[in-house]
Amino acid sequence: MPELPEVEVTRLSFADRIAGSRILSVTLGKPLRWPLGCSTAELLGQQVIGVRRRGKYLLLDLERGLLLLHLGMSGSLGFAASLPPAGPHDHFELLTSHGSLRLNDPRRFGAVVFAPNEDSPIACKLLGRLGMEPLSAGFDLLVFQRGLKARRGQIKQVLLAGDLVVGVGNIYACEALFQAGIRPTVRAARLSSSRVAKLHAAVREVLSKAVQMGGSTLRDFSNAHGDAGHFQLEAMVYGRAGQSCKVCGGPIKSIRQGQRSSFFCHTCQRN
DNA sequence: CCATATACCTGGCAGC
DNA sequence: TGCTGCCAGGTATATG
């Protein structure tokens, strides 16, 4: 579930409330993708300064160091003064003076990793190859254009790779390509500059609209308040194989690209 | 260096 | 009802 919009919506739903709190206890469940990388004692008593986002990572700034949180495929966070008893899929919990922050992640592709600072090896390993932030002013059209020109792969795969632009996952790659009228199988390097400009705008528009709609809830995503998102109702192509295109009425196609499903309209998305 | 395949893990669903 | 196989929002790592 968690692409950039879901991660940002999650951040917005608890950042203000947790900021300034102090960590009172740490509870670990089953192993996640990587080990925490520090003792729980190292976290106790530390103040939570704030919550930032980089790509699909949340960065919990502490007095000394930071926690990198990733929601993987099935993760979600909850934050409340008091949470229900922990279930079998709750694998990390910070009890703070402002409330409890809990990660629920059935598939456990997510992670919570401590880094002493942003230049530490572990932080560089996880964040170092990330591309431009699509919703920031730093999402430069010319850099995007040059980056695409240098790629031999298909545009959908290049978007998903995350080393040119971050945060675009399977749902929003499909949606942005539809909005830009670009077929997901086109070689990135073959896109004209006007189509690249269209795609650049489409990525921004689709992601920011999704943030406004609270993200997409396909199965069980919710923000840290427990609210579901609604963007999935706006989807033009994702998950709509065989249904009719909302623009031209033609059938939405589904294909496989790099072991993942892509959805597109053969008529509205040409070359 | 680049592009593609694999692995990680659980649960929901279609089909038999 | 219960079994099997396939599919799912991500991405580091291995392989070619």
Side-chain angles (χ1 to χ4, degrees):
Chain A
M1 88 197 62
E3 301 181 31
L4 183 150
E6 291 73 33
V7 176
E8 179 65 8
V9 162
T10 298
R11 187 185 74 81
L12 291 169
S13 68
F14 80 102
D16 287 350
R17 291 186 288 151
I18 202 172
S21 69
R22 211 162 273 285
I23 297 174
L24 304 176
S25 74
V26 181
T27 308
L28 304 177
K30 288 191 194 171
L32 293 162
R33 180 159 191 178
W34 295 295
L36 178 58
C38 74
S39 67
T40 57
E42 180 137 18
L43 303 175
L44 292 182
Q46 288 214 51
Q47 195 176 34
V48 179
I49 308 297
V51 188
R52 292 176 292 148
R53 180 188 56 74
R54 176 74 177 103
K56 297 172 190 168
Y57 284 90
L58 287 177
L59 280 53
L60 231 69
D61 284 307
L62 307 177
E63 286 174 286
R64 296 178 303 281
L66 64 159
L67 285 172
L68 308 177
L69 278 73
H70 199 289
L71 301 180
M73 289 277 266
S74 57
S76 62
L77 290 178
F79 183 79
S82 162
L83 290 169
H89 301 309
D90 293 322
H91 304 302
F92 180 83
E93 186 164 334
L94 275 187
L95 175 63
T96 78
S97 54
H98 293 184
S100 286
L101 179 69
R102 174 186 285 177
L103 172 67
N104 180 277
D105 185 4
R107 292 178 74 181
R108 291 190 282 126
F109 290 170
V112 181
V113 176
F114 176 80
N117 59 69
E118 280 182 76
D119 300 319
S120 59
I122 184 65
C124 287
K125 176 183 153 191
L126 297 179
L127 307 176
R129 288 179 184 177
L130 297 184
M132 294 180 282
E133 281 293 336
L135 298 184
S136 82
F139 186 27
D140 188 87
L141 178 57
L142 290 176
V143 175
F144 188 47
Q145 202 163 119
R146 278 198 292 269
L148 293 179
K149 268 279 178 292
R151 298 303 197 94
R152 263 188 279 207
Q154 305 181 331
I155 184 59
K156 162 96 180 307
Q157 318 256 68
V158 173
L159 289 176
L160 289 183
D163 50 357
L164 186 56
V165 59
V166 293
V168 183
N170 210 28
I171 298 176
Y172 302 109
C174 292
E175 295 300 314
L177 287 167
F178 176 85
Q179 186 169 319
I182 296 168
R183 210 167 281 185
T185 49
V186 186
R187 304 271 153 194
R190 300 196 50 182
L191 291 169
S192 68
S193 53
S194 67
R195 320 213 87 195
V196 171
K198 233 179 160 181
L199 180 58
H200 179 268
V203 166
R204 298 182 79 120
E205 285 166 24
V206 165
L207 293 179
S208 47
K209 173 153 193 199
V211 171
Q212 285 173 26
M213 307 277 306
S216 295
T217 297
L218 298 188
R219 170 164 285 128
D220 51 12
F221 169 74
S222 63
N223 67 22
H225 273 124
D227 311 316
H230 304 286
F231 185 86
Q232 72 280 3
L233 305 171
E234 305 283 308
M236 301 297 279
V237 289
Y238 184 84
R240 301 192 66 244
Q243 299 177 40
S244 56
C245 174
K246 295 178 182 178
V247 172
C248 77
I252 300 299
K253 311 266 188 196
S254 172
I255 60 172
R256 298 292 286 184
Q257 285 181 286
Q259 339 295 116
R260 314 200 61 187
S261 292
S262 293
F263 303 88
F264 70 102
C265 172
H266 197 267
T267 305
C268 296
Q269 293 167 268
R270 301 187 163 280
N271 221 354

